[in-house]
Amino acid sequence: MSGTSEALTPPAEAVAPIRHPDAPAPGELLGAHYEQCFGCGGAQPHGLHLEARAGEGASLTAEFTVRPAHQGAPGLAHGGVLATALDETLGSLNWLLRTIAVTGRLETDFVRPVPVGTVLHLEAEVTAVAGRKIYSRATGRIGGPEGPVAVRASALFIEVKVDHFVDNGRPQEIQAAMNDPDQVRRARAFEVNP
């Protein structure tokens, strides 16, 4: 991205990301990290229902279909919804590192309009890690995975402990997630976003 802020430029001591050995295999669907998540959860009737698949290394691909509920201007996706799709895609990368992290900064470029009914094809990768900071970028294309770029983003995620969610979330949802007998679902519920 041209014009990326200094806050999104990895420092000289940053290192290449390391994919966790237990990360999903390339091509594997990541699934919703939490059923109530607006970005990927199936229980949200107007949510994005974004589906992400693991890629090689610390990368992934994702798709999201713009529905009428996602409009801003007549017949076009709302810019905030597109930013949410980028944020969800970038946040999903942390599952490949097996790191709990939240969005610290997200910068988006809106290159062209995205009409209702369009499938947005997203690609994302972690570019560097420096201590608790995870740097990443994503691109969204229309008309296919090789189609024209519609949106781009660069992001900084910050690694946190599960206490971040426990201390700040609404108690009934936190307790329900922590009581889930499925250990993987329980861990993934606290995986992304502030």
Side-chain angles (χ1 to χ4, degrees):
M1 266 175 53
S2 63
T4 298
S5 74
E6 189 175 320
L8 293 175
T9 303
E13 69 272 10
V15 298
I18 299 173
R19 182 189 185 100
H20 192 279
D22 295 331
E28 187 175 327
L29 187 64
L30 299 183
H33 76 93
Y34 177 55
E35 282 300 308
Q36 293 297 323
C37 175
F38 180 79
C40 65
Q44 287 290 338
H46 298 296
L48 305 185
H49 302 177
L50 186 132
E51 292 188 343
R53 291 189 181 280
E56 298 292 332
S59 72
L60 59 76
T61 60
E63 290 185 356
F64 143 64
T65 301
V66 179
R67 295 180 307 184
H70 304 139
Q71 294 182 81
L76 297 174
H78 189 287
V81 169
L82 296 174
T84 300
L86 288 161
D87 184 46
E88 184 68 29
T89 301
L90 290 158
S92 296
L93 288 165
N94 297 312
W95 186 239
L96 301 175
L97 307 179
R98 290 292 169 95
T99 300
I100 298 172
V102 296
T103 309
R105 186 175 187 98
L106 176 70
E107 290 186 10
T108 57
D109 288 326
F110 301 97
V111 180
R112 64 177 26 93
V114 179
V116 169
T118 299
V119 175
L120 188 63
H121 299 270
L122 298 136
E123 294 179 336
E125 68 177 335
V126 176
T127 58
V129 177
R132 294 177 46 224
K133 295 180 177 182
I134 302 165
Y135 298 86
S136 54
R137 64 179 170 226
T139 302
R141 298 173 182 273
I142 58 176
E146 303 300 320
V149 172
V151 291
R152 289 187 293 256
S154 292
L156 169 64
F157 281 78
I158 308 297
E159 182 179 355
V160 296
K161 302 293 182 207
V162 76
D163 293 353
H164 169 87
F165 302 96
V166 172
D167 294 345
N168 296 292
R170 212 164 66 152
Q172 54 265 45
E173 281 90 354
I174 297 297
Q175 197 58 53
M178 292 182 80
N179 288 341
D180 191 323
D182 184 314
Q183 188 174 8
V184 172
R185 269 199 323 251
R186 188 169 57 239
R188 288 202 66 201
F190 302 102
E191 144 184 312
V192 294
N193 297 330

